[in-house]
Amino acid sequence: MRIVKKLLRSRVFWTLALLVGVVTYRFYEEYEGIQSEIVQSWLKTPTADCAVVLTGGAGRVREGFDLLANQNVKRLVISGVYSNARLREIMPLWSLYGNLSENDVVLDRRSETTYGNAQQSLPIVEALKCRDILLVTSRLHMHRSYLTFRNAYPENIYIQKHAIIGGRYESSVWELGFEAMKSLFYSLWAY
């Protein structure tokens, strides 16, 4: 009992308790932000000057090519491809897309993280003179991606979310929790 009373009078205890409370609250905010992300492309047909596709999940690159082929975007930036990757290797179904021009697709081979995707794609987007972009990634990844891109890109470039479903619509608690931890970490320095 004496130890408990001494602990409750300790500034270190209350400082740690406050820190744990703040981190828990921020984690919950990130978790809710991720879970509430909707697939807006199901509600309307998106259009923009360019699409920026973040690699790393099923269906993202194909969705980018679909947007280009359907003329929803004029240019496609695929961010985070392997350094030796070639366009035809990334999209083996290229020949099925008709008369797409390889000049309309730019591969960013330098990015390895979501932060890197934002930093490395910005000069490409500016060089292509894109006034607005569709940010293409998974529903689970969209919350962190959008906030990172919004912080890295200037306000005059409008960013539209274009979330896709790579597997199932509802993510597991573990997937959401892991993404919330990454998002919490990113919130400290990236947005």
Side-chain angles (χ1 to χ4, degrees):
M1 194 64 164
R2 185 182 268 177
I3 295 173
V4 173
K5 286 183 179 181
K6 192 174 185 177
L7 188 61
L8 290 175
R9 286 190 220 135
S10 169
R11 287 185 183 168
V12 172
F13 171 78
W14 288 110
T15 303
L16 286 174
L18 179 64
L19 181 63
V20 167
V22 168
V23 169
T24 302
Y25 177 74
R26 287 290 298 124
F27 175 83
Y28 177 76
E29 280 185 327
E30 295 299 329
Y31 188 92
E32 287 297 310
I34 294 162
Q35 194 172 28
S36 66
E37 200 64 56
I38 62 169
V39 181
Q40 296 176 359
S41 58
W42 290 356
L43 306 174
K44 62 179 181 169
T45 304
T47 58
D49 289 337
C50 299
V52 177
V53 177
L54 308 185
T55 60
R60 297 177 190 182
V61 173
R62 190 196 73 238
E63 181 68 17
F65 278 97
D66 288 348
L67 290 167
L68 186 62
N70 292 328
Q71 298 177 350
N72 298 98
V73 295
K74 298 171 190 156
R75 298 287 179 92
L76 180 62
V77 178
I78 304 174
S79 185
V81 301
Y82 293 111
S83 59
N84 295 327
R86 301 289 170 243
L87 185 59
R88 303 284 174 144
E89 295 168 341
I90 293 170
M91 194 58 185
L93 300 176
W94 177 271
S95 61
L96 300 177
Y97 278 92
N99 58 357
L100 289 182
S101 171
E102 288 189 29
N103 295 331
D104 293 334
V105 181
V106 179
L107 302 180
D108 160 32
R109 294 180 171 92
R110 297 177 63 191
S111 303
E112 296 179 359
T113 64
T114 304
Y115 180 77
N117 293 141
Q119 296 297 315
Q120 299 299 326
S121 67
L122 177 59
I124 297 169
V125 166
E126 289 176 332
L128 295 173
K129 296 181 174 42
C130 302
R131 296 179 312 260
D132 54 351
I133 66 164
L134 292 178
L135 181 59
V136 181
T137 190
S138 68
R139 177 179 178 255
L140 182 67
H141 187 227
M142 184 56 78
H143 177 75
R144 178 167 51 106
S145 301
Y146 178 77
L147 292 174
T148 302
F149 270 71
R150 187 65 281 156
N151 187 61
Y153 275 51
E155 289 296 320
N156 65 329
I157 298 177
Y158 178 67
I159 302 171
Q160 268 184 91
K161 298 176 183 179
H162 189 78
I164 67 153
I165 305 301
R168 58 189 189 281
Y169 183 77
E170 292 295 329
S171 300
S172 73
V173 172
W174 297 111
E175 290 170 322
L176 284 166
F178 187 61
E179 182 61 29
M181 286 300 293
K182 291 192 285 188
S183 189
L184 178 60
F185 173 72
Y186 265 63
S187 73
L188 298 174
W189 61 277
Y191 51 84

